[in-house]
Amino acid sequence: HLDAYTSPRLVEYFDEDPCRRYEYDKMAMAAPVAEGEIQVTAARRPDSLGVTIEAEYTVGEYDILILSAKQSDGLVTWLKQNGYKLPVGAGATLDSYIKQDTKFFVAKVNLKEQEKTGLKYLRPLQIAFESPKFMLPIRLGTVNADGKQELFVFTLSRKGRIETTNYRTVKLPSDTNVPLFVKDEFGDFYKSMFSTSVARENERAVFLEYAWDMNWCDPCAADPLSNDELRELGVYWLGDSAADFRGPQGSDVYVTRLHVSYDAEHFPEDLFFKETGDRSNFQGRYILQHPYEGEAKCEAGKEYFASLPDRFEQEAQTLARLTGWDISDIRTKMKDGGQSFTPPKKDPWWKKLWSNDDKKDEKK
């Protein structure tokens, strides 16, 4: 639900009759996310190779261990003895976390429990902990990664927007008009646009996709989250008002969505964050502007239709710049979709000589 609520979205507007004023708008809705249940059971604390099992749980379809370790060699040996495959170089990364007194969260899929759920996917895990550092460890995941990894970070805060402190936080390109055919290719458009943006920032930036008060949205890609959902996501500071009430206390919950494509070369450090007091709104938003398709015989109508080819060309150029797509292919798709680059024929100059006389005759 949080993903749907904060996801980049398309909005559609329809040009009014140039001779009369009408306006319509609608937006693309994101698909809902299925719900699941989690159950927690026993715990134990044996020691082995300098590794301490701080806690042990069965959580839904997962077997969970919370580990601490005194040295990386012992942790690597313990993990291998217990069936975990570690890539070359993992020991050095683990050692840096051990020196910071970091605990390790180890999840293994329990196939028998997974079968009981009847689900075809793995449900997300939720953990709660306290730490003086506002950070997210990502380096261990880069050791065995085959290429870049995609990470989405959703934060719910009281004061305002969350930003990274050791990498640049950059706003995603937004509020631009794109050709109408993008509606049927939005997934491909977004992937290409994001990849192009990453390359322009030398592959070292974290991108802001959404930042907004949870109390409202404009437009909304999904319904705002209820208070019960916010509590389940860790918003402990909400009052005891009705679960579905989205009143003034909603302004006390600010949501930030960050997106990063990373590897060990370009992101050698973990992500560190800060909470800012910035409560200004931002969203990845892309506009489909439908041209007016009726008749418009007034002078303003003629000027409107004559301006459309330039507008379509601007949309084509914008899309090529955002995505790196070939401009010729973009123009072809636009023409196939009815967005013509050919201006309408203009009336001969001499017709204007008698146009006023014709109108006088009509009035008589």
Side-chain angles (χ1 to χ4, degrees), residues 243-299:
D244 288 327
F245 176 63
R246 303 183 186 96
Q249 89 286 359
S251 62
D252 221 15
V253 182
Y254 192 92
V255 58
T256 304
R257 172 181 173 133
L258 302 173
H259 184 183
V260 57
S261 178
Y262 69 98
D263 57 20
E265 178 183 356
H266 299 92
F267 283 80
E269 300 177 355
D270 294 322
L271 298 180
F272 282 81
F273 306 98
K274 66 177 180 180
E275 182 180 15
T276 72
D278 187 351
R279 299 186 73 89
S280 59
N281 301 319
F282 176 81
Q283 59 182 317
R285 179 175 175 270
Y286 308 95
I287 303 164
L288 303 179
Q289 190 79 33
H290 292 264
Y292 178 69
E293 296 181 351
E295 292 186 356
K297 296 182 179 180
C298 66
E299 191 63 29

Side-chain angles (χ1 to χ4, degrees), residues 99-355:
K99 290 178 179 177
Q100 299 176 54
D101 196 27
T102 302
K103 302 296 187 295
F104 297 87
F105 183 95
V106 183
K108 182 185 294 186
V109 178
N110 186 318
L111 295 179
K112 291 183 179 179
E113 294 297 328
Q114 164 68 11
E115 187 177 358
K116 291 178 183 178
T117 66
L119 301 173
K120 300 299 183 182
Y121 59 88
L122 296 175
R123 294 173 294 182
L125 283 162
Q126 183 181 42
I127 62 173
F129 64 96
E130 294 182 356
S131 171
K133 298 179 181 178
F134 188 10
M135 56 87 72
L136 188 64
I138 63 171
R139 289 180 296 124
L140 187 60
T142 63
V143 177
N144 66 336
D146 183 13
K148 288 183 174 293
Q149 298 190 85
E150 298 292 317
L151 176 67
F152 294 89
V153 181
F154 302 87
T155 65
L156 299 167
S157 58
R158 301 184 74 166
K159 294 181 180 178
R161 180 182 302 173
I162 301 301
E163 298 179 354
T164 47
T165 60
N166 55 335
Y167 296 100
R168 292 185 63 232
T169 302
V170 178
K171 290 181 178 178
L172 200 69
S174 182
D175 285 325
T176 56
N177 285 65
V178 294
L180 300 181
F181 75 83
V182 170
K183 182 176 182 179
D184 296 323
E185 301 182 19
F186 186 63
D188 292 336
F189 158 76
Y190 174 78
K191 291 176 183 177
S192 297
M193 182 271 297
F194 185 77
S195 297
T196 302
S197 300
V198 169
R200 285 175 179 159
E201 294 294 334
N202 298 317
E203 304 180 47
R204 298 180 184 276
V206 176
F207 287 87
L208 177 70
E209 290 188 335
Y210 190 88
W212 212 282
D213 262 327
M214 184 59 72
N215 196 38
W216 68 290
C217 48
D218 179 27
C220 294
D223 290 335
L225 276 66
S226 68
N227 280 0
D228 277 350
E229 288 174 308
L230 291 173
R231 288 192 189 94
E232 289 175 5
L233 289 172
V235 182
Y236 61 88
W237 60 87
L238 282 180
D240 295 325
S241 53
D244 288 327
F245 176 63
R246 303 183 186 96
Q249 89 286 359
S251 62
D252 221 15
V253 182
Y254 192 92
V255 58
T256 304
R257 172 181 173 133
L258 302 173
H259 184 183
V260 57
S261 178
Y262 69 98
D263 57 20
E265 178 183 356
H266 299 92
F267 283 80
E269 300 177 355
D270 294 322
L271 298 180
F272 282 81
F273 306 98
K274 66 177 180 180
E275 182 180 15
T276 72
D278 187 351
R279 299 186 73 89
S280 59
N281 301 319
F282 176 81
Q283 59 182 317
R285 179 175 175 270
Y286 308 95
I287 303 164
L288 303 179
Q289 190 79 33
H290 292 264
Y292 178 69
E293 296 181 351
E295 292 186 356
K297 296 182 179 180
C298 66
E299 191 63 29
K302 294 178 182 179
E303 294 176 358
Y304 165 79
F305 286 119
S307 70
L308 287 179
D310 288 340
R311 188 176 100 181
F312 295 159
E313 175 62 21
Q314 182 62 46
E315 291 178 1
Q317 295 285 351
T318 297
L319 184 61
R321 185 181 71 254
L322 289 177
T323 63
W325 290 354
D326 184 83
I327 189 69
S328 298
D329 293 340
I330 293 172
R331 292 184 182 125
T332 298
K333 289 184 178 182
M334 292 178 71
K335 289 178 181 178
D336 292 343
Q339 291 185 277
S340 174
F341 290 85
T342 303
K345 292 183 178 180
K346 294 182 178 180
D347 289 334
W349 63 269
W350 46 264
K351 278 195 173 185
K352 295 181 180 180
L353 295 176
W354 293 282
S355 60

